Amino acid sequence: MNGEDARRDRPTLSDVAGMAGTSIPTVSKVLRGGTDVSPATRDRVMEAVRAVGYARATRPSAPEPDAPAMIDLVVNHVHGTWANGVLTGVESAATAANVDVVITVAREDGNWVSRLLRRPSQGAIVVLVDPAPSHFAALEAARIPVVLVTPMSEPSAPAMRVGVTNWDGGRTAAEHLLALGHRAFAVVGGDRTHLYSRARIDGFRSALELQGAPAPVVVHGDWDRRRAADAIAPLLRGPDRPGAVFACSDLMAMGVYDAAQAAGLRVPADLSVVGFDDVPEASWGTPPLTTVRQPIAEMGEVAVRLLLGAPELSGEPAPAVLPRVDLSTTLVVRASTARAAG
C-alpha cells in the first residue's frame, strides 16, 4: 500500500460525523474542546472517534511560535500529602525540562478532556483517575500522549503507566510481622475495586500462606480514617482479636490507632500496626508508624520523563508495547510494631 492509499484508508472527520450523526464542524469543535456543544453531542462524538479510530495525522501547532511548552496534571483532588508528593515530583522534573504544568481537576462531569483540549498541551499525566474509553479516544485523536500514575482499575486502552510494587509491599509487611512472631492478623483494605488495594492485600495474604500462618481477616476502610476505624473496631473488641494489623494506607493506619485507643489497646504493646505510603504523617504518629514506603515524588518525576519522551511528541511510530514502570517499595520500621506478646 502506498502513501496515497494509506491516507485514503485513514478514518476522517467525515467518518466520525457520519457515525455520530452530526456535522464535520461540530466534530472539529469537540476535538478542539469547544464549550458550545451539548454534553450528549460531545459524548456521541467522542464515542464515534473511538469507534472509527480517528486520529490527526500530525499534532496541531501551538497558537504562538514562542508559546511555552505545557503539560497537564490531571487529578481528582489536590488536598493531602500524597497528592502534593506527586505534584512535587512532577514540578521538579518539568522545571528541569523547562515545561509549565497546569493542574486539571477531574470533576464529576467527566469533562476534563475537553478543558485539556482547549490548551496547547504537550500531554497529560493522569493521577488516580480512570479515563473512559471515549477520553482515551479523544486524546489519541488529538495526538496528546497520556501517562497514568497508579490507575485505579485496568485501563480501557493501552497507555504508559507508572506505579509501585504493591504486591511486594504487602508481602514485605507480612514478612516483618511474621518475623516478630505474630500469628493473628487483620488487614484494612481501601476500595474493593482498586487494583493497588487488591495487590497489597494479595501480597500480604500470599506471604502468610507461604509460612503456614492463618489467613488474615480483611475489612475495608475506603481510604478514609474514620471508616477504617469503624471497620476494624469490632475485631479489636472481639474474642479473636488480631495481634497485628496491616492497613493499606497510612491514613487508614491512623484510623486503626483511633480504634485501638477506643478499645483500650496500646500500640505496639497490645497491637502492632503497619501502614502503606510513608506520607509525612506516618512519622508524626504516636507512636511513629512502621510503613511500606512508596516513592511518591519519584513517580511524578518518572511520569514526566515518560511523557516528554512519548512518540507522539517526536513524530516517531508508537512502540508495540507501551512502557510501564513499577518503582520499588521499601519497609520503614518505626515504633508501631513489636514482638508478639508471649
Side-chain angles (χ1 to χ4, degrees):
M1 179 184 291
N2 59 35
E4 187 63 32
D5 291 334
R7 282 191 293 274
R8 279 199 301 270
D9 291 343
R10 182 182 297 134
T12 65
L13 288 177
S14 179
D15 297 327
V16 177
M19 176 162 283
T22 187
S23 66
I24 293 176
T26 298
V27 172
S28 180
K29 190 179 297 182
V30 169
L31 294 180
R32 293 196 310 271
T35 57
D36 54 341
V37 180
S38 72
T41 299
R42 182 182 297 110
D43 291 344
R44 217 164 55 243
V45 169
M46 285 186 171
E47 178 56 30
V49 165
R50 184 197 65 78
V52 306
Y54 172 79
R56 288 191 178 107
T58 58
R59 283 182 55 82
S61 57
E64 297 179 7
D66 60 348
M70 175 192 303
I71 61 174
D72 276 72
L73 175 63
V74 182
V75 294
N76 56 15
H77 64 80
V78 293
H79 61 271
T81 52
W82 196 97
N84 286 329
V86 174
L87 175 58
T88 297
V90 168
E91 191 277 333
S92 175
T95 297
N98 197 28
V99 172
D100 287 340
V101 179
V102 174
I103 295 178
T104 299
V105 178
R107 305 186 185 111
E108 291 184 0
D109 60 11
N111 199 28
W112 59 269
V113 170
S114 293
R115 301 202 306 277
L116 189 152
L117 292 174
R118 292 197 291 272
R119 297 189 284 270
S121 182
Q122 296 290 300
I125 295 171
V126 182
V127 183
L128 295 179
V129 173
D130 286 345
S134 59
H135 293 156
F136 277 119
L139 293 167
E140 183 177 357
R143 296 181 64 81
I144 295 176
V146 175
V147 177
L148 304 180
V149 177
T150 59
M152 293 183 288
S153 59
E154 194 61 36
S156 58
M160 296 182 286
R161 297 162 66 174
V162 178
V164 300
T165 54
N166 289 295
W167 191 94
D168 282 345
R171 174 186 56 80
T172 301
E175 290 176 346
H176 172 65
L177 293 171
L178 286 165
L180 292 173
H182 290 284
R183 300 289 292 180
F185 303 95
V187 175
V188 183
D191 189 298
R192 288 172 173 81
T193 66
H194 291 175
L195 284 175
Y196 39 89
S197 178
R198 294 188 344 235
R200 293 168 194 178
I201 295 170
D202 288 347
F204 189 89
R205 185 184 284 122
S206 179
L208 299 188
E209 183 179 346
L210 188 63
Q211 295 294 325
V217 178
V218 179
V219 297
H220 291 83
D222 297 324
W223 311 115
D224 181 82
R225 179 171 181 165
R226 176 174 292 180
R227 289 175 187 163
D230 291 343
I232 197 67
L235 295 181
L236 299 186
R237 295 181 181 277
D240 298 319
R241 178 177 64 79
V245 176
F246 170 50
C248 287
S249 77
D250 291 342
L251 185 62
M252 293 194 299
M254 294 298 105
V256 176
Y257 275 26
D258 296 339
Q261 183 178 25
L265 302 176
R266 299 162 298 160
V267 176
D270 303 313
L271 183 72
S272 286
V273 182
V274 178
F276 200 108
D277 288 334
D278 196 28
V279 294
E281 293 91 330
S283 62
W284 304 342
T286 305
L289 179 67
T290 294
T291 187
V292 178
R293 179 182 182 272
Q294 56 173 321
I296 300 169
E298 190 178 346
M299 282 194 285
E301 294 172 1
V302 171
V304 171
R305 291 196 289 270
L306 277 181
L307 187 67
L308 297 181
E312 291 94 332
L313 300 183
S314 61
E316 299 174 359
V321 179
L322 294 174
R324 172 174 177 169
V325 178
D326 285 323
L327 302 176
S328 296
T329 53
T330 54
L331 182 70
V332 179
V333 178
R334 297 193 179 99
S336 67
T337 51
R339 284 205 144 300

